[in-house]
Amino acid sequence: MAPPTPPISSYVNYSIPAKNGASWSALLKVFAYVLLVFWAVIVVYPMVWSLIAALKTDAEIFRTPWSIPAILQFENFGRAWKKAQIGAYIGNTFLVIVPAISFTLLLSSMAAYVLARFEFTGKRLLSTMFLIGMMFPVFLALVPLYLVMRYIKEFTGIPMLNTFHGLIVVYIAYSLSWTIFFMTGFFKTLPKEIAEAAMIDGASHSQVFFRVMLPLSKPGLVSAGIFNFLGQWNQFILPTVLMSNANVEAGQTRYVVSQGLYYFQNQQMYQSDFSGLFAAVAIVTLPTLIVYLVFQDRIEKGLTVGALKG
Amino acid sequence: MNSRKNLFIFSYMALPVSLYFVFVLVPYLGAMAISLTRWTGTSTLDAIEFRGLQSFQRILSDEKFWSALSHNLLVLIVMPICTLALALLFAALFTQGLKGAKFFRIVFFFPQVMSVAIVAIVWGFVFHPTMGILNGVLNLVAQAFGRAGSNFPWLGNVNTVLPSVISVAIWQAVGFYMVLFIAGMQGIPEELYEVSRIDGASAWVQFWSITIPLLWETIRTAVVFLTIAAMDMYTYVTILTNGSGGPSRAADVLATYMYQQAFGGGNNSNPFGYGTAIGVVLLLIILMLSALGLRVTRREVNEY
């Protein structure tokens, strides 16, 4: 994958005395940059190329991968948004993830606060139980989860499959593990004295939590919110099993974005609109790109914190 | 006072715990139970017949299962090695104080925040025989050497479909492990390097005698993560092969095979029982491999 090592390397070590170490390290530096640029191109180019393709006509896309759009086809984006229903998919996704993220943050910080600050019987068991969820891949639970959703309807009459509220509840449940873990660590860093002082002033546990601890944990909540946004916006497996588009009228799609994109891609076999698909990819990538560039530091730190301490 | 505290704890834990119990724990545990049954899933719970280990016996003689497992094992060997090598290399470069390191870091990490679905769709185009840039680049090179170009179907060939899928997974994973290793390397005290520099150790020697040993715990974590990822691959394979598992199912992995058995219709007479049995075997394999990975990589912990 990497360009071949310059053969000079061994030669330099043996025949050129140490005072030439500077030129040796300069050479290494050049080699390092060549490697970095090479990987940067591999990372960026497919995305830039997709963006350019989003502005081409289908004919231009088919002619050669190197063609440049003669006229910028901005209507590809409009077609992707309306006709391919990307707009509707994005609407559905927000309908699901806005309540899902809000409740994930609320419920997780409640549980995390209790786990971080109180001693009680069964605490270890509960912590372990939540940790397990971070280790098992989601797809292992797919079949039984599907059945749980069906049996909830059978026993309570509330439909869960193919509903937005069903997907919201499942998103929350599968986001709890990581978010509780993350927020527990955060609450542990907050000074105990503030809560104690508030208690002496006669505040209840709940008042301490909502009026003192929650406002103090804002930075943690923001980080956890960003992660849950990325995770839930990108979710593919859960909606694939729990959300079907069957039996809905035209214009009433229930799909979320990643599902909708996959469906659109599959449609290419019957009715090709590659420029529209490229435009759709660009539209869906944009929110992630913005969130990433704005919160880049936090995302790097937060994503790895679970891994390092876990 | 104490009962007030207990009431508080209970009221704050009740909802998260019950949601987690119903939608996460019950399914994981339920998988174990359902795998022992014969059940089409279309009828009520009464229609479940207990069949013991029948599904597991069927797995033993299911060629498609073994072929999917062998694909997982190939992923398991290739993906962690390539990902770790690239991530360690980049992390080592970025902790040397190179100019522009921040820019490259931001670029290299970006694939990690993209959805696997989008990554797979974009790479599906990259691999496209006629309009993809992979063949575009190769044909440019071929022309430069006076050879004819080709329209090689990377995802449509039995021999290249799985390596293609694996390279996409590596492409996306490298940034994450790079950042993980950078964080770990920054925790290594600078004095260790200074002392060894005085002793005349080269950067190469330092990397193997200081960086790697002190980063060992992080690398172990990475190995476990990559093991789990290698046994998954569901979204990559599904999207890159349009749900088909590739030509002659040459890229089928256990996760896609399980999904196809459970939800794919077809001629399986026991979709849910058999599908979950595959899932349970997969879980056992993951647990075994993680334990094995941790065991093999166990060393004296380096205190510093």
Side-chain angles (χ1 to χ4, degrees):
Chain A
M1 194 168 282
T5 320
I8 317 153
S9 57
S10 54
Y11 164 79
V12 171
N13 267 345
Y14 289 107
S15 58
I16 298 181
K19 63 183 172 194
N20 271 358
S23 71
W24 163 232
S25 80
L27 196 77
L28 245 165
K29 224 173 198 175
V30 170
F31 177 61
Y33 276 112
V34 169
L35 192 73
L36 293 179
V37 170
F38 181 74
W39 188 258
V41 169
I42 292 181
V43 168
V44 172
Y45 195 66
M47 290 185 268
V48 174
W49 173 71
S50 319
L51 189 65
I52 296 172
L55 295 164
K56 296 182 191 175
T57 63
D58 269 23
E60 284 169 329
I61 290 176
F62 278 120
R63 201 177 309 135
T64 140
W66 302 107
S67 66
I68 297 292
I71 304 163
L72 297 181
Q73 306 287 328
F74 285 108
E75 66 265 27
N76 291 341
F77 286 85
R79 211 170 56 249
W81 186 265
K82 278 231 96 117
K83 199 164 154 257
Q85 306 197 70
I86 295 299
Y89 299 145
I90 289 179
N92 289 345
T93 309
F94 276 112
L95 195 65
V96 172
I97 70 174
V98 170
I101 294 171
S102 314
F103 280 102
T104 301
L105 293 181
L106 179 68
L107 296 179
S108 303
S109 33
M110 283 162 65
Y113 179 63
V114 170
L115 290 173
R117 278 302 159 83
F118 292 87
E119 289 304 325
F120 57 96
T121 34
K123 177 175 154 171
R124 272 190 75 104
L125 181 75
L126 286 179
S127 305
T128 320
M129 193 186 85
F130 280 119
L131 271 179
I132 285 175
M134 279 174 43
M135 315 226 317
F136 288 2
V138 174
F139 61 85
L140 292 174
L142 287 181
V143 174
L145 177 63
Y146 176 85
L147 298 170
V148 165
M149 300 293 268
R150 239 181 42 191
Y151 279 99
I152 288 178
K153 186 186 174 187
E154 203 151 291
F155 292 125
T156 67
I158 306 167
M160 294 295 279
L161 287 168
N162 308 324
T163 65
F164 290 113
H165 63 259
L167 207 55
I168 291 170
V169 171
V170 170
Y171 276 19
I172 297 170
Y174 280 85
S175 307
L176 284 173
S177 274
W178 184 86
T179 318
I180 288 177
F181 175 74
F182 184 83
M183 290 308 293
T184 308
F186 197 86
F187 281 122
K188 279 185 181 158
T189 64
L190 295 181
K192 262 199 165 96
E193 293 74 25
I194 304 174
E196 280 160 7
M199 291 291 285
I200 292 167
D201 288 349
S204 70
H205 284 296
S206 265
Q207 281 169 330
V208 170
F209 175 72
F210 278 106
R211 303 229 178 114
V212 183
M213 300 315 276
L214 215 48
L216 279 178
S217 60
K218 225 185 208 164
L221 286 173
V222 172
S223 293
I226 297 166
F227 285 114
N228 281 304
F229 169 79
L230 290 173
Q232 297 184 6
W233 175 265
N234 293 339
Q235 186 55 254
F236 177 70
I237 301 179
L238 288 173
T240 301
V241 175
L242 303 178
M243 203 64 150
S244 120
N245 228 9
N247 308 320
V248 293
E249 287 171 29
Q252 296 291 311
T253 177
R254 282 188 296 234
Y255 280 170
V256 295
V257 275
S258 47
Q259 231 183 338
L261 271 180
Y262 176 52
Y263 175 73
F264 190 21
Q265 188 211 29
N266 266 337
Q267 287 298 101
Q268 303 298 325
M269 289 185 239
Y270 317 105
Q271 194 179 33
S272 94
D273 179 9
F274 284 101
S275 51
L277 182 53
F278 278 114
V281 165
I283 294 173
V284 178
T285 313
L286 198 66
T288 338
L289 182 64
I290 293 171
V291 169
Y292 176 59
L293 290 179
V294 174
F295 298 107
Q296 184 267 333
D297 264 344
R298 263 174 205 272
I299 291 175
E300 272 195 10
K301 280 195 198 99
L303 256 190
T304 47
V305 76
L308 282 177
K309 299 207 175 122
Chain B
M1 185 64 200
N2 220 356
S3 74
R4 239 181 86 190
K5 188 189 111 186
N6 286 339
L7 183 72
F8 172 77
I9 291 174
F10 178 79
S11 62
Y12 271 44
M13 294 303 285
L15 201 50
V17 169
S18 33
L19 273 181
Y20 186 78
F21 183 76
V22 173
F23 295 102
V24 182
L25 284 187
V26 165
Y28 282 133
L29 297 173
M32 320 272 170
I34 297 169
S35 67
L36 301 175
T37 66
R38 181 194 142 97
W39 192 21
T40 58
T42 47
S43 46
T44 58
L45 280 173
D46 309 334
I48 296 185
E49 297 165 40
F50 182 76
R51 286 295 171 93
L53 297 174
Q54 203 182 56
S55 287
F56 295 93
Q57 274 173 344
R58 194 174 135 196
I59 282 175
L60 288 178
S61 55
D62 183 349
E63 276 174 27
K64 284 183 187 157
F65 171 90
W66 292 104
S67 135
L69 179 60
S70 73
H71 299 152
N72 276 114
L73 293 181
L74 184 73
V75 180
L76 183 67
I77 295 166
V78 177
M79 190 182 71
I81 291 177
C82 296
T83 309
L84 287 179
L86 284 168
L88 276 170
L89 175 65
F90 294 144
L93 288 178
F94 289 150
T95 43
Q96 299 293 314
L98 280 179
K99 269 210 186 91
K102 173 100 178 158
F103 166 79
F104 285 112
R105 246 173 84 167
I106 293 178
V107 170
F108 289 8
F109 189 75
F110 181 63
Q112 182 62 39
V113 295
M114 285 174 81
S115 104
V116 179
I118 291 188
V119 166
I121 289 175
V122 167
W123 278 87
F125 284 126
V126 170
F127 289 127
H128 194 280
T130 51
M131 59 187 203
I133 36 167
L134 181 58
N135 279 339
V137 171
L138 293 176
N139 288 346
L140 277 190
V141 176
Q143 272 167 23
F145 286 96
R147 302 245 185 115
S150 80
N151 292 330
F152 189 81
W154 295 95
L155 298 172
N157 181 296
V158 182
N159 295 318
T160 54
V161 60
L162 189 55
S164 303
V165 172
I166 296 175
S167 49
V168 177
I170 295 171
W171 178 85
Q172 188 166 24
V174 164
F176 175 78
Y177 294 97
M178 174 194 82
V179 168
L180 194 68
F181 293 147
I182 289 175
M185 286 178 188
Q186 279 163 349
I188 301 175
E190 186 57 30
E191 300 88 64
L192 290 176
Y193 291 101
E194 276 160 21
V195 169
S196 78
R197 207 169 296 139
I198 294 166
D199 290 346
S202 66
W204 179 251
V205 171
Q206 284 182 339
F207 179 75
W208 287 105
S209 62
I210 301 175
T211 310
I212 294 288
L214 290 183
L215 203 61
W216 198 249
E217 287 305 304
T218 313
I219 296 175
R220 290 177 77 194
T221 314
V223 168
V224 172
F225 279 22
L226 283 164
T227 304
I228 296 174
M231 298 313 288
D232 180 343
M233 300 296 285
Y234 173 82
T235 310
Y236 292 115
V237 173
T238 302
I239 296 185
L240 282 166
T241 65
N242 274 323
S244 71
S248 316
R249 307 200 72 90
D252 217 6
V253 289
L254 285 182
T256 50
Y257 185 55
M258 182 196 104
Y259 182 87
Q260 186 230 344
Q261 290 295 311
F263 298 105
N267 50 12
N268 187 355
S269 61
N270 181 17
F272 284 1
Y274 194 57
T276 45
I278 297 172
V280 169
V281 172
L282 188 48
L283 173 66
L284 294 177
I285 295 174
I286 290 176
L287 291 178
M288 261 164 42
L289 286 174
S290 304
L292 189 75
L294 286 176
R295 191 129 206 178
V296 168
T297 55
R298 185 155 65 193
R299 278 193 187 180
E300 294 289 302
V301 176
N302 294 282
E303 296 289 346
Y304 54 88

